[in-house]
Amino acid sequence: MGRNRLLTARAAESEAAMTVAQLEDRVLALEKAVARLEEKVARPEAPSSNGAAPGPTEDEIIDGVEYDFVPNVPPLAVVEVRARIVAVEQAPVRLSLSDAEWQSMAAMLEIDTDVP
Amino acid sequence: MSHDGWYEVVEGPDLLQGDLLDACPLPRFSVELPCPLGADPDLRLRVETFHLVVMSQSCDLVNDKVAEVLLARRMAWSEVVRAEGGHNPVLRSAKFRKALVDGNIPSMALLHKRDTAPGLPWSLVDFHALFTVPKSYLSRFAAANRPRLRLRSPYREHLAQAFARLCHSRRPAAGRPCLRERGRRGAVRALRRERKRGRVKGDVHDFRNDECPLLSARL
């Protein structure tokens, strides 16, 4: 009988201890959330290029309606690296067509490319 | 602001479709760019200067609806001939030059010369050489690059239609030429319809009325 009481008392104590631990976890989570919100308020998200507030979210957009904002979709990943500029020069003059496309154009225009 | 045929002379940071920008420096990745990027890669950038024409739509630029501006490369015809004419028989051929003048080369457009300052030689716009540049950077460059030229209506729309034709005329079939039959003549008809509706002003210039160097017998 005395042993049972002791076990019951220990179980209750353990339960109370778990509850305190859970409360501590919750308080910690809330503190983190508040810190994030405070940071967000202090440094709002980047506005659109015209300086206006960010536009509606994707869920709020209505099809066919034109909105006055620049979609501010964050990039998948941002990697900041340092780069060294090794040259500043005029770009070489050349057209961007591949040899295959020149050949294709020659065939279309019936141009004999074998003539020197 | 003075007006002169194809172009008007403008100053300031405002950008519209058809704005010409000279010697704009753009950073270019080296072909040896490591992939994937490591934690501290040894990146080397070349900054090359290009003559450019703004291809983004004017309404998007004016209303701040784009953060990046689409640009196409522009080159003097004489420089292209000097650089590529020696080893490119297609470029030298009269048929190619006539097709270019007629607007039947989808990946290119021809810009008329301008003799008075700021001058412009006969120029090619290469729609295969495209860049996007942050609008804020380009506006600052445009403000410093003064005075500069801006294509007037309807040549601005004509250039935009030439670019749109290229985007719509691409076909995936291997080996099949992507020249579109409609070409410039169809575009001119479309522009005249727009002119009747009051959306564009003026008529489209005919290169054949000029002494266009592309139409000379030999290069």
Side-chain angles (χ1 to χ4, degrees):
Chain A
M1 190 74 175
R3 190 166 179 248
N4 281 347
R5 272 189 197 163
L6 185 62
L7 285 174
T8 310
R10 279 187 182 172
E13 199 175 280
S14 167
E15 202 171 296
M18 286 293 287
T19 309
V20 169
Q22 284 174 340
L23 276 172
E24 280 178 353
D25 283 348
R26 285 189 176 187
V27 168
L28 279 175
L30 283 169
E31 280 176 353
K32 280 180 186 171
V34 168
R36 273 201 305 271
L37 286 169
E38 279 178 343
E39 195 181 339
K40 209 171 181 180
V41 169
R43 195 180 55 191
E45 283 177 13
S48 59
S49 69
N50 60 2
T57 62
E58 195 176 337
D59 294 335
E60 294 165 346
I61 289 175
I62 303 164
D63 282 349
V65 175
E66 192 172 343
Y67 290 94
D68 186 21
F69 75 104
V70 178
N72 195 10
V73 181
L76 294 175
V78 176
V79 182
E80 285 195 12
V81 293
R82 280 170 181 267
R84 198 151 41 99
I85 294 173
V86 293
V88 180
E89 58 195 7
Q90 191 180 344
V93 174
R94 63 167 171 262
L95 292 166
S96 300
L97 267 66
S98 65
D99 289 345
E101 192 142 5
W102 280 115
Q103 289 295 330
S104 168
M105 196 177 291
M108 177 69 186
L109 297 171
E110 297 173 349
I111 297 167
D112 187 1
T113 53
D114 295 332
V115 178
Chain B
M1 185 182 291
S2 68
H3 298 267
D4 182 26
W6 273 56
Y7 308 97
E8 58 185 335
V9 181
V10 295
E11 291 186 2
D14 294 339
L15 296 165
L16 290 181
Q17 187 179 57
D19 277 14
L20 307 186
L21 299 164
D22 288 340
C24 182
L26 300 179
R28 307 275 282 159
F29 285 123
S30 162
V31 289
E32 292 89 21
L33 182 72
C35 185
L37 289 171
D40 189 17
D42 180 26
L43 288 185
R44 294 172 186 208
L45 287 180
R46 302 180 76 82
V47 175
E48 293 181 336
T49 57
F50 294 90
H51 299 320
L52 301 165
V53 56
V54 173
M55 297 307 303
S56 290
Q57 292 199 16
S58 296
C59 58
D60 287 341
L61 294 165
V62 169
N63 295 315
D64 268 334
K65 294 195 176 187
V66 285
E68 299 267 333
V69 182
L70 179 65
L71 301 151
R73 189 176 183 192
R74 169 172 59 84
M75 285 168 278
W77 166 252
S78 57
E79 287 180 10
V80 173
V81 171
R82 204 177 306 133
E84 295 210 16
H87 60 269
N88 189 338
V90 182
L91 186 77
R92 283 200 312 269
S93 73
K95 283 181 181 173
F96 171 80
R97 287 178 280 137
K98 182 179 176 301
L100 186 58
V101 168
D102 288 343
N104 286 327
I105 305 294
S107 57
M108 299 173 206
L110 188 61
L111 294 182
H112 201 283
K113 68 169 179 171
R114 186 178 192 273
D115 291 327
T116 51
L120 183 77
W122 285 93
S123 298
L124 282 184
V125 179
D126 184 355
F127 294 135
H128 278 181
L130 300 172
F131 309 92
T132 58
V133 175
K135 191 184 167 199
S136 53
Y137 167 72
L138 204 65
S139 290
R140 288 200 307 277
F141 179 79
N145 186 216
R146 64 193 173 97
R148 56 193 173 88
L149 295 178
R150 170 175 291 164
L151 270 174
R152 297 178 66 197
S153 183
Y155 307 111
R156 185 170 57 226
E157 289 84 356
H158 188 230
L159 182 72
Q161 284 196 359
F163 183 51
R165 276 205 308 281
L166 168 69
C167 299
H168 287 287
S169 66
R170 306 299 292 176
R171 293 188 178 93
R176 184 172 181 176
C178 60
L179 297 180
R180 192 170 165 107
E181 290 170 9
R182 203 173 76 155
R184 188 170 191 266
R185 217 198 280 163
V188 168
R189 274 202 300 271
L191 275 175
R192 286 184 178 146
R193 277 198 302 276
E194 294 292 296
R195 189 161 59 93
K196 278 184 184 170
R197 293 171 188 158
R199 291 180 187 163
V200 298
K201 294 172 186 169
D203 203 352
V204 181
H205 188 89
D206 191 348
F207 290 112
R208 291 171 195 283
N209 295 335
D210 297 297
E211 291 178 6
C212 178
L214 279 75
L215 293 174
S216 60
R218 292 174 67 92
L219 281 182

